Amino acid sequence: MQNKLLVLGSLGLIFILYIVATFFYKSEQKSEQAAISLNKSELFVRDYSYKMGDNQKNITVVEFLDPECESCAIYSEVVKKLYKEYYKDIQIVVRYLDNHKNSKLTIQMLEAARVQGKYEEVLNMMFTKHSLWASHYSSIDKPELLWGFLEDISGLDIEKLKIDMNNPKIDEIIAQDRADATALGVTGTPTLFVNGVMLNELSKQALFDLVEKEIYK
């Protein structure tokens, strides 16, 4: 009888130890999964990333772009329409992927203009006038024209912009964005993600469908 009690007691102790071990294993797994999820979210959005929108529905649209990219300039009209219609629901996040000869110069201009609160005005200028200074289809390579276009932006201090363009933090932003793009498998621009899901087709319908799926789910 005593041996039977000892066996039962041992089995009970083993069972309790199993339950405790399982609990801690699951807790550790959850912690690891949360850490992985957090790390992956950082690949999409960094603290320094430029953001637009009220994001009331917690929908993040991340665009890896290059200001010198002709396709980015063309597709920017679709992104503008999306923002105009859903700016209350979404947040658009701009990330860089400097794939062209003058990409760094344009990113420096953008980040320096951001200091003066003129980021969106400068990005819009670069895209709307893209065919004049950087049309790859027409072999146009005239980044010097950007300085004249910048002068047309009301309230933009060009001399201050030139100074701020030399901020070494801009190089760090470019490098980090490229590292994140590589980690996410992004090689070309524009590449967009909606709440972590990559847009597979560069069309208005595809982008709106993906965003609206998140809004109305």
Side-chain angles (χ1 to χ4, degrees):
M1 182 70 179
Q2 189 175 4
N3 290 337
K4 186 176 181 180
L5 290 174
L6 285 172
V7 170
L8 290 173
S10 298
L11 289 173
L13 179 60
I14 291 170
F15 178 74
I16 291 170
L17 290 174
Y18 171 78
I19 296 296
V20 171
T22 301
F23 171 78
F24 281 110
Y25 174 73
K26 288 182 177 178
S27 296
E28 186 176 348
Q29 273 194 321
K30 287 180 180 178
S31 298
E32 289 176 356
Q33 288 170 355
I36 291 170
S37 178
L38 178 61
N39 290 337
K40 189 171 182 180
S41 69
E42 288 181 346
L43 295 176
F44 292 107
V45 185
R46 294 285 174 179
D47 290 339
Y48 60 75
S49 302
Y50 189 80
K51 306 170 184 72
M52 300 176 283
D54 298 340
N55 203 21
Q56 292 178 4
K57 295 290 182 69
N58 197 31
I59 298 168
T60 304
V61 180
V62 178
E63 180 179 10
F64 281 88
L65 60 79
D66 181 341
E68 195 180 356
C69 163
E70 200 143 21
S71 296
C72 295
I74 295 169
Y75 201 69
S76 68
E77 294 302 314
V78 174
V79 177
K80 284 180 191 175
K81 289 176 182 176
L82 179 75
Y83 181 70
K84 183 178 181 180
E85 187 162 344
Y86 292 118
Y87 72 92
K88 289 184 179 180
D89 299 325
I90 69 175
Q91 181 178 73
I92 293 178
V93 181
V94 178
R95 306 297 303 275
Y96 303 120
L97 190 57
D98 55 327
N99 282 343
H100 294 91
K101 177 182 174 182
N102 302 301
S103 302
K104 181 178 178 179
L105 171 67
T106 57
I107 294 170
Q108 287 173 319
M109 287 178 170
L110 276 172
E111 289 298 320
R114 181 177 178 178
V115 176
Q116 300 183 46
K118 298 292 181 180
Y119 185 97
E120 292 172 42
E121 290 89 339
V122 172
L123 182 59
N124 183 60
M125 174 275 289
M126 288 178 174
F127 282 156
T128 56
K129 296 184 180 296
H130 196 275
S131 62
L132 301 176
W133 68 273
S135 176
H136 304 300
Y137 297 119
S138 304
S139 300
I140 295 175
D141 182 23
K142 298 181 179 180
E144 65 276 6
L145 294 179
L146 288 171
W147 295 108
F149 301 149
L150 287 170
E151 291 177 357
D152 294 333
I153 297 177
S154 178
L156 183 64
D157 186 333
I158 302 298
E159 294 308 312
K160 175 173 172 49
L161 181 135
K162 289 179 179 178
I163 294 171
D164 291 336
M165 283 175 63
N166 294 315
N167 189 332
K169 288 185 178 179
I170 299 175
D171 288 335
E172 295 174 10
I173 289 172
I174 294 172
Q176 184 63 65
D177 279 11
R178 175 165 286 280
D180 290 344
T182 300
L184 291 168
V186 176
T187 57
T189 57
T191 297
L192 292 90
F193 295 87
V194 178
N195 280 356
V197 178
M198 183 184 287
L199 180 68
N200 291 320
E201 178 187 329
L202 285 177
S203 69
K204 178 186 174 186
Q205 189 66 50
L207 179 59
F208 273 67
D209 284 350
L210 193 53
V211 169
E212 287 168 356
K213 180 180 177 181
E214 291 296 310
I215 291 175
Y216 301 114
K217 71 178 181 180

